[in-house]
Amino acid sequence: MDVPLWVWLAVIGFILLMLLVDLVAHRHAHVISVREAAAWSGVWVFCGVVFGIIVWRVWGAEFGQQYFAGYLIEKSLAVDNVFVWAIIFTFFAVPREYQHRVLFFGVLGALVFRGIFIASGSVLIQNFSWVLYVFAAFLLFTGIRMLLQRNEHIDPSKSRALKLFRRYVPMTDAFHGQRFLIRKSGILLATPLLAVLVLVEVTDIVFAVDSIPAIFAVTDEVFLVFTANAFAILGLRAMYFLLADLIHRFVYLKIGLALVLVWVGIKMALKIDLYYIPTPVSLAIITTILAVAVVASLIRTRGQQRHEPPGPAVAPFRTAGQEEIAALEPLWGRRRGATTSDRTAADGGSEQSTVDGAQPTADAGHGEPADDGTSGVDRRS
């Protein structure tokens, strides 16, 4: 498949343009309605399908089928991301109007990391053909494990990434609008929203370890692997707001995703030395597995209504008021008249100081005291 450089640049430019449009359209924090999420989902699916048709017309039916097979795999595996995001947002009790901003930057980071993984995977396959056996075995192992552990869910409180973040990054005890960072009393602090973003990025990297080898099972073309990933990921935000209130109804989807991973693992193992399963056959099998899983889930949960995932009994973080937000210092640059003690605190001496003379706060949601005496600062371990 010969793809000129200008085509790569044009596709990347279009992706960045659509991200900019999405950012501008959601520049003001608001709760994303089901109707708005459905409209944006339609836009992203339309873009992905139209691009696949272009691939089909320009490079032929085989590459078009490979793109759609990869797109379907990535889109279906992305639903698992949606479930995990719902768990993370529920754990942190993130206000719904702030969730889109987290997911925007989360998807942007996902595009970057997956681009790196795709490039690395392509280099490994070209130079070490035996790595395909590793990918195939990994997909089979992951699929079987997902099937056996289909009723288990991640626990954000046990995340190593979250523990490291709390240990080394000073954090406020309140959401300050859509801000990821604030400056208070000369000290640069993370908000809980930044901790959520870090956890979203880390979980996507974990999911990419599964999905990238899966798409290499249906196509070896780097251009198709990247574009199928990109167009599938771009619609994740809208998909989340469309499906977050319906998570409880997809009771058999985990089984379907596990079977898809097992299937692509078998396909990859066979195509190395034995037999190449035609792309239309593979595409038909993947579509059938997912369709059966979705339809069976909806039939099994017939009559259940849409509702938000249950939140914590006590919100772990508060939401700062408008007066508190208005009183924040400029994010970059020191406040006027900063004293030597202020600068010392900003440079790392805050662990033994307090802000506004308040007493140490408790570790919200976990019952453990913060390990410093900073009011409004949550430095957890």
Side-chain angles (χ1 to χ4, degrees):
M1 184 178 185
D2 184 21
V3 182
L5 177 60
W6 69 267
V7 174
W8 276 96
L9 296 177
V11 171
I12 294 174
F14 175 77
I15 291 171
L16 294 177
L17 176 62
M18 291 301 293
L19 285 172
L20 179 61
V21 169
D22 187 40
L23 180 62
V24 172
H26 298 90
R27 63 188 180 277
H28 300 300
H30 67 281
V31 177
I32 308 296
S33 66
V34 174
R35 177 177 297 181
E36 183 181 357
W40 275 100
S41 292
V43 169
W44 295 119
V45 171
F46 175 79
C47 291
V49 172
V50 168
F51 182 80
I53 294 174
I54 293 173
V55 171
W56 196 305
R57 292 292 300 273
V58 174
W59 286 282
E62 175 61 25
F63 289 125
Q65 292 166 357
Q66 289 180 13
Y67 166 82
F68 280 114
Y71 178 79
L72 186 59
I73 289 174
E74 294 301 324
K75 202 71 172 176
S76 59
L77 292 177
V79 177
D80 216 15
N81 286 49
V82 170
F83 294 169
V84 172
W85 290 348
I87 293 173
I88 294 173
F89 285 142
T90 300
F91 173 79
F92 282 92
V94 180
R96 297 201 68 163
E97 59 268 29
Y98 303 152
Q99 293 176 4
H100 185 276
R101 180 58 59 91
V102 174
L103 295 183
F104 175 85
F105 287 102
V107 167
L108 187 61
L111 287 171
V112 174
F113 284 117
R114 292 195 180 213
I116 295 173
F117 290 162
I118 291 169
S120 302
S122 177
V123 171
L124 285 175
I125 292 173
Q126 289 178 2
N127 292 278
F128 308 99
S129 59
W130 53 264
V131 80
L132 290 173
Y133 290 105
V134 178
F135 284 176
F138 179 75
L139 289 171
L140 289 170
F141 169 77
T142 303
I144 294 173
R145 183 183 62 180
M146 182 182 293
L147 192 62
L148 297 176
Q149 301 176 355
R150 59 185 179 275
N151 295 321
E152 297 182 11
H153 303 286
I154 69 164
D155 183 356
S157 65
K158 297 180 180 179
S159 169
R160 293 182 180 178
L162 183 59
K163 290 179 180 179
L164 288 174
F165 184 89
R166 286 172 165 172
R167 182 185 298 271
Y168 295 109
V169 180
M171 186 172 71
T172 69
D173 65 346
F175 294 103
H176 288 71
Q178 298 189 94
R179 294 171 175 82
F180 293 111
L181 297 168
I182 63 169
R183 184 176 292 277
K184 190 173 183 180
S185 299
I187 305 173
L188 190 64
L189 304 170
T191 68
L193 214 58
L194 184 59
V196 175
L197 176 59
V198 169
L199 202 54
V200 166
E201 291 288 6
V202 171
T203 54
D204 184 77
I205 291 174
V206 173
F207 279 110
V209 174
D210 297 340
S211 64
I212 299 302
I215 195 172
F216 271 115
V218 296
T219 178
D220 297 327
E221 298 294 336
V222 178
F223 181 71
L224 298 182
V225 173
F226 173 76
T227 52
N229 257 276
F231 283 105
I233 290 174
L234 285 174
L236 274 185
R237 296 180 306 283
M239 183 188 293
Y240 168 78
F241 292 106
L242 186 63
L243 299 180
D245 297 346
L246 294 173
I247 291 175
H248 58 285
R249 297 201 59 185
F250 293 95
V251 292
Y252 298 128
L253 185 60
K254 200 88 168 184
I255 297 176
L257 297 178
L259 294 177
V260 168
L261 288 177
V262 171
W263 164 249
V264 295
I266 293 173
K267 173 179 167 57
M268 177 174 281
L270 291 176
K271 83 170 187 176
I272 298 172
D273 294 314
L274 299 176
Y275 176 69
Y276 176 76
I277 298 175
T279 303
V281 174
S282 181
L283 182 58
I285 291 176
I286 294 171
T287 303
T288 301
I289 291 174
L290 295 175
V292 170
V294 171
V295 172
S297 295
L298 296 179
I299 293 176
R300 172 68 173 78
T301 59
R302 189 185 326 175
Q304 296 186 17
Q305 301 299 316
R306 175 185 292 269
H307 63 76
E308 296 183 13
V314 179
F317 302 100
R318 62 186 180 86
T319 300
Q322 292 299 320
E323 293 184 1
E324 185 177 353
I325 293 176
L328 293 175
E329 301 168 15
L331 186 59
W332 307 116
R334 293 187 178 129
R335 61 194 173 101
R336 294 182 179 179
T339 63
T340 302
S341 60
D342 289 333
R343 289 192 292 270
T344 300
D347 291 335
S350 59
E351 295 190 21
Q352 303 300 325
S353 64
T354 61
V355 177
D356 299 329
Q359 297 300 316
T361 59
D363 186 7
H366 297 277
E368 299 173 3
D371 59 5
D372 63 6
T374 306
S375 172
V377 178
D378 187 19
R379 184 191 291 269
R380 296 180 243 187
S381 59

